Amino acid sequence: MTDRFATKATYGQVFAVTQFRAIFAGRLLGVMSDTLRSVALAVLVFSQTNSPLLTATAMTIGFLPQAAGGLFLAAMADRFSPRTLITTGYALQCAVGLLLAFGHLPVAASLLLVAAVACLTPVTTGAAGRVMAEVLTGDTYVLGRSLSYLVAVSAQMAGMAAGGTLIVWLGVDRTMLVTAGAHLLASVISRLFLSRTEAVRAGGPVVANGSIVRKTLQGNAALVAAPGVIELIMVQCVPAAYLAAAGSLLIPYSAQRAFSPTETGTLLATTSVGMLIGDVVVGRAFAPATRERLVLPLLLVMGTPPIALILDLPYPAIAAVYVITGVGSAYLLGLQRRFLEAVPSDRQGQGFALLNTTTMTIQGIGPLVFGVFAEFLAVGLAIALTGVSSVITTLLLRNAIRPRPSG
């Protein structure tokens, strides 16, 4: 299997695969819509309650419930047709947008509705990961996984940036309609362009008497026990959570430094710019084996720059810190092959669901933890702590990071 990853692929080869294009487009539309809905929901909740806590809850309500879906429902990703799961997932998100737009629901009901549908997100992302593993081979798979991650981050940033403007222009209800329309489009694209002949995996769909929950728990236990899986999940998730935490503190940091709204908006985009640069350069310039050797250096590139924010750097230097940090996220390219090989082939969908669940859960917790630090420390110091924590975590996980000898 290793030989398939020895030849470097191109992004053109990845996008030449029709089913990947469908997955890519659906993810772009879905993540952007989810983020835009979170912003609109937060505005709606604050207008009705004037509560900062409930407003913050509205912004993050789509993250933590994914842990429940990953823990109890992820086996569905290997037991049903991916096309069915993906199209149904986007259709349910569309229905939620319509209910929020027209239902005039109480705050608690709105939050519960979004939380409930978020529980199914690991199932749909696991199914999408399974499709990519089946239709992309060798290094095209590595680049495809990287593009999937990058588009999710970029779409989230775009949703945040566009949210305020759209809400002012359209109002909350019409903004919710926009999210519903985007999810509907994602569902249609998935229905039209994903394979109609995908076979359900061995064992067939089982839903009676809670067996999906049992299968999920058994599958998660098997994945955790599989050599290297849990270590590779941690390496992919924990440093990325520090990156998210550093980004989440930019608004209060900018306020503390008296940056203008334009300067703040530019800073919010710098991490995504760095991610794009890192993925393109590392993905195109280096052979697969070299990318695997670069995992540790790139993790240090990602973690070290924020430590400089313990100083009152000038604005251009701060922007450079976040761009360089984003470049370091290209370390993920060097882990995709190893993760695919570590996950048992009959549990690929659940393996990707578990990875996504862990990622979203930790990325929801990371900003919260360092946000608490920022309540008691200078914000720049709290951001510097994200970098220190990232470097320490990298060193602790260096055995999992070290590339496996070829052959």
Side-chain angles (χ1 to χ4, degrees):
M1 185 172 185
T2 304
D3 292 340
R4 294 190 295 115
F5 292 87
T7 304
K8 186 173 69 172
T10 67
Y11 289 105
Q13 290 173 309
V14 178
F15 280 110
V17 180
T18 300
Q19 292 196 71
F20 175 79
R21 293 199 301 270
I23 292 291
F24 184 90
R27 189 157 175 78
L28 175 64
L29 290 166
V31 174
M32 191 179 299
S33 299
D34 289 343
T35 306
L36 183 58
R37 186 181 62 200
S38 295
V39 175
L41 184 60
V43 170
L44 178 65
V45 168
F46 187 74
S47 69
Q48 292 183 7
T49 67
N50 205 35
S51 167
L53 176 59
L54 287 175
T55 303
T57 301
M59 282 291 293
T60 59
I61 195 66
F63 290 98
L64 292 182
Q66 293 188 33
L71 288 173
F72 301 115
L73 301 175
M76 294 173 66
D78 286 310
R79 305 184 73 81
F80 292 87
S81 162
R83 186 178 74 150
T84 299
L85 292 174
I86 294 168
T87 56
T88 302
Y90 287 136
L92 287 173
Q93 294 282 10
C94 172
V96 168
L98 293 174
L99 283 171
L100 291 173
F102 296 116
H104 303 294
L105 303 173
V107 167
S110 297
L111 294 176
L112 286 173
L113 183 64
V114 174
V117 77
C119 290
L120 297 175
T121 299
V123 176
T124 56
T125 54
R130 178 183 150 191
V131 171
M132 284 194 286
E134 291 174 349
V135 302
L136 300 178
T137 59
D139 197 44
T140 59
Y141 169 78
V142 174
L143 296 185
R145 286 289 299 174
S146 174
L147 283 168
S148 179
Y149 173 79
L150 185 63
V151 74
V153 174
S154 301
Q156 193 172 58
M157 291 290 186
M160 288 288 186
T165 302
L166 273 179
I167 292 166
V168 170
W169 183 35
L170 298 176
V172 170
D173 290 348
R174 290 180 179 175
T175 301
M176 293 295 187
L177 279 179
V178 170
T179 70
H183 278 124
L184 178 61
L185 180 58
S187 181
V188 171
I189 289 172
S190 302
R191 182 70 181 175
L192 291 177
F193 296 104
L194 293 182
S195 172
R196 295 183 172 89
T197 58
E198 293 158 348
V200 178
R201 297 216 168 177
V206 181
V207 295
N209 301 320
S211 58
I212 280 294
V213 173
R214 289 198 300 273
K215 290 290 185 182
T216 299
L217 294 174
Q218 293 167 2
N220 285 340
L223 287 167
V224 170
V229 170
I230 192 66
E231 291 86 354
L232 288 168
I233 287 177
M234 288 298 101
V235 173
Q236 292 178 82
C237 296
V238 180
Y242 297 131
L243 180 66
S248 73
L249 294 173
L250 268 176
I251 290 177
Y253 180 74
S254 296
Q256 186 179 84
R257 295 292 304 274
F259 294 148
S260 70
T262 300
E263 289 173 324
T264 302
T266 301
L267 282 181
L268 288 170
T270 50
T271 301
S272 291
V273 170
M275 286 178 164
L276 180 61
I277 293 171
D279 266 53
V280 171
V281 171
V282 175
R284 290 180 64 89
F286 298 103
T290 304
R291 291 188 214 126
E292 295 188 10
R293 290 194 294 269
L294 286 174
V295 170
L296 179 58
L298 286 170
L299 273 167
L300 294 175
V301 167
M302 189 174 81
T304 304
I307 300 173
L309 267 70
I310 197 171
L311 305 173
D312 284 339
L313 300 177
Y315 179 84
I318 298 167
V321 161
Y322 276 89
V323 170
I324 295 169
T325 297
V327 169
S329 71
Y331 82 92
L332 291 164
L333 282 165
L335 297 173
Q336 300 307 317
R337 175 189 67 86
R338 293 177 59 196
F339 185 71
L340 179 64
E341 292 182 342
V343 173
S345 60
D346 61 338
R347 298 190 188 277
Q348 283 180 347
Q350 187 166 352
F352 295 124
L354 183 61
L355 173 62
N356 182 76
T357 298
T358 309
T359 299
M360 300 307 291
T361 301
I362 295 179
Q363 286 194 4
I365 293 173
L368 178 62
V369 170
F370 287 94
V372 171
F373 289 156
E375 289 288 328
F376 302 99
L377 304 172
V379 181
L381 178 56
I383 294 173
L385 286 176
T386 69
V388 171
S389 301
S390 184
V391 171
I392 292 173
T393 300
T394 296
L395 296 177
L396 290 174
L397 292 172
R398 62 186 179 276
N399 287 334
I401 293 167
R402 188 177 294 118
R404 188 185 64 188
S406 59

